[in-house]
Amino acid sequence: MCGIVGIVNYNEDLSNGHTIIGNMTKALTRRGPDEEGIVVKKHCNLGHRRLSIIDIENGKQPMSCKMGDITYTIVYNGQLYNTQELRQTLTNNGFEFKGHSDTEVLLKSYLFYGKEVCKHLNGIFAFAIWNDKTEELFLARDHFGIKPLYYAKIDDNLIFASEVKAIFEHPKSRPILDKTGISELFGIGPSHTPGISPFKGIEELEPAHFMLYHKNGLQKYEYWKLETKEHTDDLETTSEKIRLLLQDSIERQLVSDVPLCCLLSGGLDSSIITAYASKYYQQKYGRKLDTFSVDYVDQDKNFVKSDFQPNSDNYYIDLMVKEFNTNHHKIVLDTPELYKSLEEAMIARDFPGMADVDSSYLLFFREVKKQAKVALSGECSDEIFGRVSMVF
């Protein structure tokens, strides 16, 4: 993860705003523990906390690029999976690159495509680009809203950040609860209606949207929408397409200049990812893939077989580790650790979520971080592939 923050105010000189933007940026230290950067301009301040994954030296942010007499500055959280294709297109059109970071590719893609840039991106992202000449801010979020992005219009300030806690570091921001947001938190949490937050005046930029902010106001635009279409392929064609899509998606996410691993719970989604990733790692790098699982004290002792779950997760994990020859690590947690970490986990995600599930994640990833910086996992896909296997 990384974290981005920013302030735009056309009626105030922000040139001396180092303290405010600095405090906002520091609030995101956990998202980006490796580096911090800020840029202070007359009407725009930007901040970035970095988790260094790709091009450690040349991927520093905020990053600026000059085109003609205009300077553009970006802060970006995410990863592009079509970086190489974009770089090739840009190179063919006269662009040059200092490094191999996707940040530089994204910034120069904006220079090339302008406001249509998101239609050319394959990845997860939340980013802001400031145009020094027009003093216009471009904000965008990925197609499914994987990367968070919140904003608030307070007096003459537009304030944005990857997490709400960073917005609260601005002296004019107040943590006032919103009735609709709180109702959703208790009624359908941890889900919520896109765009809504539990705090009054703080909104979420919706997935598949970009936003323009300039002296004449704010406009939002939807750049993509998921469409339902009739499925006409036969079983064999469908199976092959799914296989190719899975392989392409997983291998594109294995690009990293730092240690990478997979989470392996024994479920269908994590097992599918591990299968493809382990083969890719062995073929490309000649080494085993690291996999991690979480377990709990006395879990096997207390496990009761049922028709729904005839075997414990460990049974399936062991099958996968043996089949794909991974370097497996099992993290064992105890109940007292979980409840002691409940508050810390809630603070980490900004809002109440899934109780001990969140504290499990917090403690689990704290141990994973000791050996790997990037982890691939499957979320909400067991059900999808469970249905697919039943149909097949």
Side-chain angles (χ1 to χ4, degrees):
M1 293 190 298
C2 293
I4 65 174
V5 298
I7 309 165
V8 176
N9 188 320
Y10 296 111
N11 298 316
E12 185 178 331
D13 190 342
L14 302 179
S15 302
N16 296 316
H18 297 79
T19 300
I20 295 175
I21 196 67
N23 289 340
M24 291 176 63
T25 305
K26 283 182 173 60
L28 301 179
T29 298
R30 285 192 174 186
R31 293 187 70 86
D34 296 332
E35 286 183 336
E36 176 180 298
I38 62 171
V39 164
V40 175
K41 301 174 183 289
K42 185 175 182 179
H43 294 302
C44 177
N45 292 348
L46 300 173
H48 186 265
R49 288 293 316 194
R50 187 184 184 201
L51 180 68
S52 304
I53 303 297
I54 299 174
D55 199 352
I56 310 301
E57 183 58 35
N58 296 304
K60 298 177 185 295
Q61 297 186 51
M63 179 183 290
S64 294
C65 178
K66 196 164 186 177
M67 188 173 186
D69 62 343
I70 306 175
T71 298
Y72 299 84
T73 303
I74 187 173
V75 285
Y76 159 58
N77 167 33
Q79 184 177 5
L80 297 184
Y81 305 138
N82 63 331
T83 300
Q84 295 307 317
E85 292 94 327
L86 288 169
R87 185 192 302 273
Q88 187 61 57
T89 298
L90 294 169
T91 300
N92 293 342
N93 283 276
F95 285 86
E96 297 180 351
F97 295 89
K98 296 179 181 178
H100 64 275
S101 75
D102 56 345
T103 306
E104 185 180 10
V105 170
L106 175 56
L107 178 55
K108 291 179 178 177
S109 293
Y110 178 78
L111 303 187
F112 185 62
Y113 292 113
K115 298 174 181 63
E116 299 293 307
V117 65
C118 294
K119 296 180 180 180
H120 300 271
L121 305 180
N122 175 2
I124 52 177
F125 52 82
F127 65 91
I129 297 177
W130 174 255
N131 181 322
D132 267 0
K133 186 172 184 178
T134 63
E135 295 193 316
E136 180 180 77
L137 182 75
F138 180 89
L139 278 168
R141 193 172 177 210
D142 63 70
H143 302 67
F144 288 101
I146 304 299
K147 292 299 183 182
L149 186 56
Y150 298 91
Y151 69 95
K153 187 75 170 63
I154 305 173
D155 295 336
D156 294 326
N157 298 284
L158 177 74
I159 308 165
F160 67 87
S162 297
E163 295 181 8
V164 169
K165 63 170 69 71
I167 294 178
F168 288 149
E169 289 296 324
H170 193 282
K172 291 193 175 182
S173 179
R174 297 287 183 271
I176 301 172
L177 295 177
D178 176 76
K179 288 183 179 179
T180 301
I182 287 297
S183 296
E184 289 203 349
L185 194 62
F186 283 104
I188 61 173
S191 300
H192 67 280
T193 301
I196 290 178
S197 91
F199 297 100
K200 196 170 185 178
I202 296 180
E203 298 181 52
E204 176 190 58
L205 182 60
E206 294 93 332
H209 280 70
F210 70 86
M211 187 168 79
L212 299 176
Y213 186 64
H214 41 67
K215 293 176 182 177
N216 295 324
L218 182 155
Q219 291 97 34
K220 281 196 291 187
Y221 304 87
E222 185 178 48
Y223 64 82
W224 177 83
K225 182 181 290 185
L226 185 63
E227 297 179 357
T228 300
K229 295 183 179 181
E230 183 181 359
H231 183 76
T232 58
D233 292 338
D234 59 22
L235 178 59
E236 185 177 353
T237 304
T238 300
S239 301
E240 182 61 14
K241 280 187 177 179
I242 290 174
R243 187 190 69 78
L244 290 172
L245 287 170
L246 279 170
Q247 182 175 356
D248 181 69
S249 174
I250 293 166
E251 290 183 357
R252 283 177 182 270
Q253 295 181 65
L254 293 171
V255 178
S256 175
D257 293 338
V258 296
L260 179 147
C261 69
C262 282
L263 307 188
L264 179 58
S265 68
L268 283 170
D269 48 10
S270 69
S271 296
I272 290 169
I273 292 170
T274 297
Y276 280 107
S278 61
K279 289 180 179 178
Y280 179 85
Y281 246 58
Q282 289 171 4
Q283 289 172 1
K284 184 163 184 176
Y285 302 112
R287 65 175 185 264
K288 294 183 179 181
L289 175 73
D290 283 291
T291 53
F292 288 81
S293 65
V294 63
D295 202 357
Y296 302 91
V297 173
D298 293 332
Q299 177 84 343
D300 281 343
K301 186 189 299 183
N302 297 318
F303 175 77
V304 178
K305 291 185 177 182
S306 66
D307 291 338
F308 177 72
Q309 190 171 5
N311 300 97
S312 70
D313 289 346
N314 287 326
Y315 171 79
Y316 299 104
I317 291 170
D318 291 341
L319 286 177
M320 290 298 299
V321 171
K322 183 178 180 181
E323 177 68 23
F324 294 100
N325 193 29
T326 71
N327 185 27
H328 191 68
H329 313 264
K330 183 184 292 186
I331 310 299
V332 181
L333 305 176
D334 204 355
T335 303
E337 298 176 272
L338 297 180
Y339 74 75
K340 288 177 183 177
S341 301
L342 286 172
E343 183 177 359
E344 187 181 2
M346 184 182 68
I347 293 171
R349 68 175 294 159
D350 270 347
F351 315 120
M354 296 180 287
D356 60 317
V357 175
D358 289 341
S359 57
S360 293
Y361 278 134
L362 181 73
L363 296 172
F364 177 45
F365 282 114
R366 186 171 288 164
E367 293 301 312
V368 172
K369 175 71 187 305
K370 294 176 182 178
Q371 300 183 66
K373 255 191 174 183
V374 179
L376 270 67
S377 71
E379 295 294 334
C380 303
S381 297
D382 282 342
E383 295 81 0
I384 295 172
F385 285 103
R387 292 192 184 99
V388 170
S389 63
M390 288 173 66
V391 171
F392 288 3

